[in-house]
Amino acid sequence: QVQLVESGGGLVQAGGSLRLSCSASTSIRSGYTMAWHRQASGKQRELVASITFSRTTNYADSVKGRFTISRDNAKNSVYLQMNSLRPEDTAVYSCYAFNVHLGRSYWGKGTLVTVSS
């Protein structure tokens, strides 16, 4: 089983920045698409950003230009740099890994990001 552990969440004022980290228990350099999802209170979970093993990225329209997803395969980690944060970004952010060869998905427990106005 692949374990994913997030860190970096916390409380930040609107306009501020946070950097989330996700550490995987296995090598992600081959065959893994990585992503960040978020779920706000009372809302559906949504895809925030994803990055393939070839470093192709996709972003939700709501975060384009503000968030950047990246990966460091040597460290088995994926990151989400969040800038210009808004109160509506408040949510639990969860790391996600998809093994494209096996079709298996893995989730982290999530880290809470709270953006105050």
Side-chain angles (χ1 to χ4, degrees):
Q1 182 69 260
V2 177
Q3 306 292 326
L4 302 173
V5 180
E6 303 97 334
S7 62
L11 175 65
V12 64
Q13 289 189 328
S17 298
L18 283 175
R19 181 178 173 86
L20 305 183
S21 298
C22 172
S23 179
S25 64
T26 191
S27 173
I28 62 169
R29 64 181 297 161
S30 178
Y32 282 91
T33 290
M34 306 296 294
W36 289 93
H37 293 74
R38 69 185 181 187
Q39 185 169 26
S41 180
K43 305 293 184 181
Q44 294 288 330
R45 184 173 62 194
E46 65 174 341
L47 173 67
V48 176
S50 65
I51 183 168
T52 69
F53 60 87
S54 62
R55 294 188 173 87
T56 298
T57 59
N58 279 290
Y59 297 93
D61 288 341
S62 60
V63 307
K64 285 181 179 177
R66 299 188 298 121
F67 291 10
T68 302
I69 189 170
S70 61
R71 64 194 293 162
D72 186 339
N73 292 336
K75 296 182 178 179
N76 296 329
S77 298
V78 62
Y79 308 95
L80 186 67
Q81 178 66 47
M82 305 184 293
N83 299 326
S84 302
L85 283 162
R86 305 164 180 169
E88 53 263 42
D89 294 319
T90 296
V92 173
Y93 286 71
S94 299
C95 184
Y96 169 85
F98 179 68
N99 187 312
V100 300
H101 301 302
L102 300 178
R104 293 180 177 178
S105 299
Y106 306 92
W107 291 92
K109 291 197 310 180
T111 184
L112 177 63
V113 172
T114 302
V115 184
S116 65
S117 59

